[in-house]
Amino acid sequence: MIDFSTIEYLKKGNPRQIRAYEVLIQNKIFLNIAEFDPVLTGTIPINIDIENSDLDIICYWKNKTDFKEKLTAVFGNKNGFTIREAKINEQESVIANFIADGFEIEIFGQNIPVYKQNAYRHMIIEYKILQSKGEKFRQEIIKLKQNGHKTEPAFGILLGLKNDPYQELLDYKL
């Protein structure tokens, strides 16, 4: 299994993963927010990204104000920078977005350790499903995403999940 706790695996990936690694390093994204345990999640790490996929970085904050201030201080000058708060799954969340060298970057933080956040849990489950189902399945996921489906609903369609794919994937057994 890939060690998703660092971004080192991207260096040996496909061209887009390699480029993502370069952008993250050159812009010191992880270095600047290291105290918030950043982890890259989403579609690029597991090779099901499409042309407009962003770099999703999840973080664990203990003090929301400190997190927001840090994001604004280090990324506030980036193209298209926005920051907002939202309640997601009954959890206070902070979401910052900006553009860095052609990649849209989303930094998402909650007061939950990163390995317990749904974005990480979904990615690990999806990675394991992709490993077990093979290349044809991966291509079908990508095709569904290109046709406008979000990642978890695309998995739900191919796996025959009946209800909320976001929740059902968390309970999915291989």
Side-chain angles (χ1 to χ4, degrees), residues 107-174:
I107 300 177
F108 178 92
Q110 291 183 323
N111 186 16
I112 299 173
V114 288
Y115 301 111
K116 292 183 177 180
Q117 289 185 32
N118 284 349
Y120 181 82
R121 294 174 60 209
H122 280 142
M123 181 181 70
I124 295 302
I125 290 163
E126 291 160 2
Y127 173 75
K128 290 176 180 177
I129 292 168
L130 290 165
Q131 296 301 299
S132 71
K133 300 276 188 193
E135 181 63 16
K136 185 172 187 271
F137 184 88
R138 186 181 79 83
Q139 290 298 331
E140 289 295 318
I141 291 288
I142 291 170
K143 192 184 302 179
L144 286 169
K145 289 177 60 54
Q146 289 169 333
N147 288 328
H149 293 277
K150 294 273 191 197
T151 303
E152 286 74 11
F155 273 85
I157 289 166
L158 292 184
L159 296 172
L161 304 181
K162 300 293 183 227
N163 298 306
D164 176 1
Y166 294 90
Q167 185 56 49
E168 286 189 70
L169 274 173
L170 294 176
D171 302 325
Y172 188 80
K173 303 289 183 237
L174 289 173

Side-chain angles (χ1 to χ4, degrees), residues 14-79:
N14 65 39
R16 186 160 160 109
Q17 290 171 326
I18 293 167
R19 181 71 186 126
Y21 176 83
E22 292 167 351
V23 168
L24 291 168
I25 294 299
Q26 289 164 0
N27 288 276
K28 298 182 169 96
I29 307 289
F30 280 69
L31 187 63
N32 280 320
I33 55 172
E35 71 260 39
F36 301 106
D37 303 331
V39 172
L40 183 66
T41 61
T43 60
I44 291 173
I46 60 175
N47 194 23
I48 55 169
D49 55 298
I50 59 175
E51 187 177 323
N52 62 350
S53 293
D54 61 358
L55 292 170
D56 295 308
I57 300 166
I58 60 171
C59 294
Y60 171 37
W61 50 260
K62 295 179 180 92
N63 181 303
K64 180 173 62 173
T65 302
D66 290 348
F67 182 62
K68 288 174 64 178
E69 287 175 358
K70 179 69 173 216
L71 292 177
T72 302
V74 295
F75 304 122
N77 64 342
K78 296 286 188 189
N79 188 20

